[in-house]
Amino acid sequence: MCESLPGIKIAPWRSPLARALHRNRSQPYSRYFQLATVQADGRPANRTVVFRGFLGDTNLLKMITDTRSQKLDHILHHPWAEICWYFTITREQFRIAGELTLIDGNHLDSELQKARQLTWQDLSDNARVQFAWPHPGKPRGDQQAFSPPLPDPNHALPCFCLLLLDPVKVDHLELRGEPQNRWCYLRENPHTWSTTAINP
Ligand SMILES: Cc1cc2nc3c(=O)[nH]c(=O)nc-3n(C[C@H](O)[C@H](O)[C@H](O)COP(=O)(O)O)c2cc1C
């Protein structure tokens, strides 16, 4: 996927998404979306994560997570995922489907490793310290285990993972309008997208 890093064309769904982010910027939760993955047994799993922007000038969406979390197992079995993102002020939904790439401390691509370190540096202390908490999803640990020393802002903890979603399909629904408006964006090849207005 990451041979597509330099100089990729901005996909056509980026401008309606940028407009939605701008018009909904007064609501901090506009930067949260739901990320659905597929478990090893084929069942869906869904959770809220924070949008961390795009990787450089690519169309790859950045998220962060803990390598110890259950979603990691899902992604290793099935890299396919779908984001569902609703903007309350403008009343529009983006469903963004694609493949996820995990950038953990062992990832060999030096550019992506640099992106992981920069993302770690950009976090608040509060966000960073959560990666020093006890193993997510295990039985509740002692209270004191949740007050570890603050991690070094310049060195990502090994369990810190950058997640990149490489979209292949974007379904944009605008509830505003009579009738509503809906568009389907499909990636035809690495650099070309089709845009089709479809029935809501
Ligand atoms: C508002 C909000 C933001 C969250 N942001 C993240 C995030 O950026 N990354 C993350 O791994 N989990 C985030 N979480 C926690 C996840 O929703 C989830 O509980 C956790 O990642 C464990 O999921 P899993 O067991 O499917 O791996 C967030 C939860 C909420 C409510």
Side-chain angles (χ1 to χ4, degrees):
M1 168 200 316
C2 290
E3 71 276 9
S4 60
L5 266 181
I8 195 159
K9 268 205 254 156
I10 297 297
W13 48 269
R14 288 284 298 277
S15 67
L17 180 61
R19 206 175 314 126
L21 279 162
H22 184 71
R23 291 188 178 157
N24 292 269
R25 67 190 182 285
S26 61
Q27 311 288 353
Y29 51 74
S30 296
R31 297 187 75 84
Y32 305 155
F33 49 61
Q34 279 64 54
L35 173 72
T37 51
V38 185
Q39 301 183 49
D41 62 6
R43 296 183 186 182
N46 205 355
R47 81 286 292 156
T48 307
V49 297
V50 179
F51 171 56
R52 303 273 170 192
F54 287 92
L55 180 75
D57 58 0
T58 74
N59 296 311
L60 305 175
L61 290 98
K62 288 192 290 182
M63 293 153 263
I64 60 168
T65 199
D66 191 310
T67 55
R68 302 168 297 172
S69 70
Q70 283 167 327
K71 67 180 84 50
L72 260 281
D73 280 346
H74 311 166
I75 298 165
L76 290 171
H77 277 96
H78 298 281
W80 287 97
E82 187 168 278
I83 284 170
C84 189
W85 204 347
Y86 181 61
F87 293 93
T88 55
I89 295 178
T90 50
R91 298 172 56 230
E92 58 193 314
Q93 169 184 267
F94 290 82
R95 287 192 291 168
I96 308 176
E99 280 191 75
L100 286 168
T101 299
L102 307 171
I103 321 295
D104 64 9
N106 299 319
H107 202 285
L108 294 176
D109 185 307
S110 59
E111 282 301 305
L112 294 176
Q113 207 47 254
K114 202 188 296 169
R116 172 176 172 268
Q117 289 294 343
L118 286 174
T119 309
W120 172 261
Q121 284 166 21
D122 282 348
L123 295 181
S124 63
D125 280 334
N126 240 352
R128 271 193 295 261
V129 78
Q130 296 182 28
F131 292 87
W133 284 357
H135 197 301
K138 296 275 191 229
R140 181 91 185 182
D142 294 341
Q143 190 61 29
Q144 69 185 48
F146 290 90
S147 309
L150 288 181
D152 181 347
N154 295 314
H155 292 101
L157 286 178
C159 63
F160 175 71
C161 182
L162 178 64
L163 272 182
L164 300 174
L165 185 88
D166 189 14
V168 295
K169 179 181 178 189
V170 177
D171 180 327
H172 176 206
L173 172 67
E174 262 184 5
L175 294 183
R176 220 182 23 193
E178 280 294 333
Q180 303 161 358
N181 293 302
R182 186 173 172 199
W183 294 270
C184 180
Y185 300 89
L186 285 179
R187 198 168 80 188
E188 307 282 345
N189 65 53
H191 303 288
T192 315
W193 287 80
S194 66
T195 304
T196 313
I198 59 174
N199 293 328

